[in-house]
Amino acid sequence: MDITNINPWTIFIAASLIALGSLFSALSFGAADTPLSDVFTGVLSAGEGSLNARIIYELRLPRTLLAFMAGAGLAIAGLILQTVTRNPLADPYLFGISSGASFGVVLLMAVAGISAGFMLSTAALLGSFLAMGLLILIAGRQKNTQVESMLLAGVALSFLFSAFTSLLLYWSDPQAVAGILFWTLGSFARAQWTTLWLPCVVIVVCIGFMLSFKRQLNALLLGDESAITLGVRVHRFRILMLVLSSLITAVLVALCGGIGFVGLMVPHIVRFFISQGSTAGLLITSLVGGTFMVWVDVLSRSLLKNQELPVGVITAAMGSVFFLSLLFFKKTKA
């Protein structure tokens, strides 16, 4: 049976059920594995009662929810960039947005010693907007070759901000470097109930914007000239989408650190099964990204005994294998 002929909303329902099952299953993994019955008890009782219930509700549940939101947000950010640039390799890292956000956070950590709180999100947002502003300044005026110029400028800015971040780490207190370095590689260890509202609001609002501008996004896939003919103000709309992508990336970088390849892989995977120009396609992309990141977080906590691997290391390894396999099979098919 050809899966592309299945109703998209059937796939959406299946993805939703898998995501929900993954969220509950992931809560049973940790330093001490917990039966699913205790997981349900801990969630339903809001952490009241036994020690296991408190661990589930106060430690594992916020972390798992943050992992899901990070995966969903990065997948949506990658989809936005791939759509507005018509480049399947576009990603927040490729455009320097993530590197700019990381630079802002590391600068605040190194100078002020702040390691948590709303100030980190503000610093990440300013860093990502600085990267986006430079990107638009360098490539935005070249309307005939805007997409190509943005890609080249984005790669250059990504390396530039990474260099500045490395320089800050070199000058920082050696005792603080280890913590900052682990954060830059990605971690959900800082997840707290008090900070979960921010990524949730940002991601929901950005998905709402994408659904509202679905027609314009589909028009951009046809090319700038066709989109202009259909009444889309391409230059202004592309900047709006870059702002949305920057906003998602900045908030997630502030809370989770640098996590690469998710915005690159997930839209590719979903594109195999369904058109992402549809409403169901956009929602499925976020669900698949969230589910993927939940299980990556389980791997990061389970691969080594009494140790936690940085999430970014795992996603980078998986992303590399994914794209090498993609290139191999395309070459074999050709």
Side-chain angles (χ1 to χ4, degrees), residues 13-28:
I13 293 171
S16 300
L17 293 174
I18 292 171
L20 187 61
S22 297
L23 284 170
F24 276 101
S25 299
L27 293 175
S28 65

PDB file of all heavy atoms in Angstrom, residues 13-28:
ATOM      1  N   ILE A  13      -3.504  11.734  13.303  1.00  0.00           N
ATOM      2  CA  ILE A  13      -4.028  11.052  14.493  1.00  0.00           C
ATOM      3  C   ILE A  13      -3.034  10.008  14.983  1.00  0.00           C
ATOM      4  O   ILE A  13      -2.771   9.883  16.185  1.00  0.00           O
ATOM      5  CB  ILE A  13      -5.404  10.412  14.190  1.00  0.00           C
ATOM      6  CG1 ILE A  13      -6.452  11.508  13.937  1.00  0.00           C
ATOM      7  CG2 ILE A  13      -5.844   9.516  15.344  1.00  0.00           C
ATOM      8  CD1 ILE A  13      -7.777  10.986  13.419  1.00  0.00           C
ATOM      9  N   ALA A  14      -2.455   9.243  14.035  1.00  0.00           N
ATOM     10  CA  ALA A  14      -1.460   8.228  14.414  1.00  0.00           C
ATOM     11  C   ALA A  14      -0.234   8.876  15.054  1.00  0.00           C
ATOM     12  O   ALA A  14       0.281   8.392  16.078  1.00  0.00           O
ATOM     13  CB  ALA A  14      -1.050   7.426  13.176  1.00  0.00           C
ATOM     14  N   ALA A  15       0.224  10.001  14.471  1.00  0.00           N
ATOM     15  CA  ALA A  15       1.389  10.705  15.030  1.00  0.00           C
ATOM     16  C   ALA A  15       1.083  11.253  16.418  1.00  0.00           C
ATOM     17  O   ALA A  15       1.942  11.238  17.312  1.00  0.00           O
ATOM     18  CB  ALA A  15       1.811  11.840  14.094  1.00  0.00           C
ATOM     19  N   SER A  16      -0.151  11.713  16.625  1.00  0.00           N
ATOM     20  CA  SER A  16      -0.549  12.237  17.939  1.00  0.00           C
ATOM     21  C   SER A  16      -0.544  11.136  18.993  1.00  0.00           C
ATOM     22  O   SER A  16      -0.072  11.333  20.122  1.00  0.00           O
ATOM     23  CB  SER A  16      -1.943  12.869  17.862  1.00  0.00           C
ATOM     24  OG  SER A  16      -1.973  13.929  16.934  1.00  0.00           O
ATOM     25  N   LEU A  17      -1.080   9.969  18.628  1.00  0.00           N
ATOM     26  CA  LEU A  17      -1.104   8.847  19.574  1.00  0.00           C
ATOM     27  C   LEU A  17       0.306   8.362  19.903  1.00  0.00           C
ATOM     28  O   LEU A  17       0.615   8.050  21.062  1.00  0.00           O
ATOM     29  CB  LEU A  17      -1.943   7.700  18.999  1.00  0.00           C
ATOM     30  CG  LEU A  17      -3.447   7.977  18.847  1.00  0.00           C
ATOM     31  CD1 LEU A  17      -4.138   6.818  18.133  1.00  0.00           C
ATOM     32  CD2 LEU A  17      -4.087   8.230  20.207  1.00  0.00           C
ATOM     33  N   ILE A  18       1.173   8.307  18.885  1.00  0.00           N
ATOM     34  CA  ILE A  18       2.563   7.899  19.113  1.00  0.00           C
ATOM     35  C   ILE A  18       3.275   8.907  20.016  1.00  0.00           C
ATOM     36  O   ILE A  18       4.028   8.533  20.919  1.00  0.00           O
ATOM     37  CB  ILE A  18       3.311   7.751  17.765  1.00  0.00           C
ATOM     38  CG1 ILE A  18       2.739   6.566  16.987  1.00  0.00           C
ATOM     39  CG2 ILE A  18       4.812   7.567  17.990  1.00  0.00           C
ATOM     40  CD1 ILE A  18       3.255   6.465  15.569  1.00  0.00           C
ATOM     41  N   ALA A  19       3.014  10.209  19.765  1.00  0.00           N
ATOM     42  CA  ALA A  19       3.633  11.252  20.589  1.00  0.00           C
ATOM     43  C   ALA A  19       3.181  11.137  22.042  1.00  0.00           C
ATOM     44  O   ALA A  19       4.005  11.234  22.976  1.00  0.00           O
ATOM     45  CB  ALA A  19       3.285  12.630  20.024  1.00  0.00           C
ATOM     46  N   LEU A  20       1.881  10.932  22.247  1.00  0.00           N
ATOM     47  CA  LEU A  20       1.352  10.810  23.610  1.00  0.00           C
ATOM     48  C   LEU A  20       1.925   9.578  24.307  1.00  0.00           C
ATOM     49  O   LEU A  20       2.333   9.634  25.475  1.00  0.00           O
ATOM     50  CB  LEU A  20      -0.177  10.733  23.559  1.00  0.00           C
ATOM     51  CG  LEU A  20      -0.917  10.776  24.903  1.00  0.00           C
ATOM     52  CD1 LEU A  20      -0.635  12.079  25.631  1.00  0.00           C
ATOM     53  CD2 LEU A  20      -2.420  10.591  24.698  1.00  0.00           C
ATOM     54  N   GLY A  21       1.974   8.457  23.580  1.00  0.00           N
ATOM     55  CA  GLY A  21       2.553   7.240  24.154  1.00  0.00           C
ATOM     56  C   GLY A  21       4.031   7.408  24.476  1.00  0.00           C
ATOM     57  O   GLY A  21       4.517   6.910  25.499  1.00  0.00           O
ATOM     58  N   SER A  22       4.734   8.138  23.619  1.00  0.00           N
ATOM     59  CA  SER A  22       6.166   8.367  23.847  1.00  0.00           C
ATOM     60  C   SER A  22       6.406   9.217  25.088  1.00  0.00           C
ATOM     61  O   SER A  22       7.342   8.968  25.860  1.00  0.00           O
ATOM     62  CB  SER A  22       6.794   9.054  22.629  1.00  0.00           C
ATOM     63  OG  SER A  22       6.716   8.220  21.487  1.00  0.00           O
ATOM     64  N   LEU A  23       5.553  10.220  25.289  1.00  0.00           N
ATOM     65  CA  LEU A  23       5.701  11.079  26.456  1.00  0.00           C
ATOM     66  C   LEU A  23       5.581  10.284  27.755  1.00  0.00           C
ATOM     67  O   LEU A  23       6.385  10.451  28.675  1.00  0.00           O
ATOM     68  CB  LEU A  23       4.646  12.195  26.428  1.00  0.00           C
ATOM     69  CG  LEU A  23       4.896  13.351  25.457  1.00  0.00           C
ATOM     70  CD1 LEU A  23       3.666  14.248  25.358  1.00  0.00           C
ATOM     71  CD2 LEU A  23       6.097  14.178  25.910  1.00  0.00           C
ATOM     72  N   PHE A  24       4.594   9.409  27.818  1.00  0.00           N
ATOM     73  CA  PHE A  24       4.409   8.613  29.027  1.00  0.00           C
ATOM     74  C   PHE A  24       5.489   7.542  29.169  1.00  0.00           C
ATOM     75  O   PHE A  24       5.997   7.301  30.264  1.00  0.00           O
ATOM     76  CB  PHE A  24       3.022   7.966  29.031  1.00  0.00           C
ATOM     77  CG  PHE A  24       1.941   8.872  29.548  1.00  0.00           C
ATOM     78  CD1 PHE A  24       1.090   9.538  28.679  1.00  0.00           C
ATOM     79  CD2 PHE A  24       1.778   9.075  30.907  1.00  0.00           C
ATOM     80  CE1 PHE A  24       0.103  10.397  29.147  1.00  0.00           C
ATOM     81  CE2 PHE A  24       0.792   9.920  31.398  1.00  0.00           C
ATOM     82  CZ  PHE A  24      -0.053  10.585  30.512  1.00  0.00           C
ATOM     83  N   SER A  25       5.854   6.906  28.057  1.00  0.00           N
ATOM     84  CA  SER A  25       6.883   5.855  28.120  1.00  0.00           C
ATOM     85  C   SER A  25       8.227   6.424  28.546  1.00  0.00           C
ATOM     86  O   SER A  25       8.970   5.795  29.316  1.00  0.00           O
ATOM     87  CB  SER A  25       7.021   5.176  26.751  1.00  0.00           C
ATOM     88  OG  SER A  25       5.807   4.569  26.363  1.00  0.00           O
ATOM     89  N   ALA A  26       8.563   7.623  28.048  1.00  0.00           N
ATOM     90  CA  ALA A  26       9.861   8.228  28.373  1.00  0.00           C
ATOM     91  C   ALA A  26       9.983   8.530  29.861  1.00  0.00           C
ATOM     92  O   ALA A  26      11.095   8.543  30.407  1.00  0.00           O
ATOM     93  CB  ALA A  26      10.049   9.509  27.563  1.00  0.00           C
ATOM     94  N   LEU A  27       8.854   8.776  30.534  1.00  0.00           N
ATOM     95  CA  LEU A  27       8.889   9.088  31.962  1.00  0.00           C
ATOM     96  C   LEU A  27       9.319   7.900  32.813  1.00  0.00           C
ATOM     97  O   LEU A  27       9.701   8.071  33.971  1.00  0.00           O
ATOM     98  CB  LEU A  27       7.509   9.567  32.431  1.00  0.00           C
ATOM     99  CG  LEU A  27       7.024  10.904  31.865  1.00  0.00           C
ATOM    100  CD1 LEU A  27       5.599  11.188  32.313  1.00  0.00           C
ATOM    101  CD2 LEU A  27       7.947  12.038  32.272  1.00  0.00           C
ATOM    102  N   SER A  28       9.278   6.714  32.250  1.00  0.00           N
ATOM    103  CA  SER A  28       9.651   5.530  33.031  1.00  0.00           C
ATOM    104  C   SER A  28      11.156   5.270  33.006  1.00  0.00           C
ATOM    105  O   SER A  28      11.660   4.440  33.755  1.00  0.00           O
ATOM    106  CB  SER A  28       8.910   4.292  32.499  1.00  0.00           C
ATOM    107  OG  SER A  28       9.325   3.990  31.178  1.00  0.00           O
TER     108      SER A  28
END
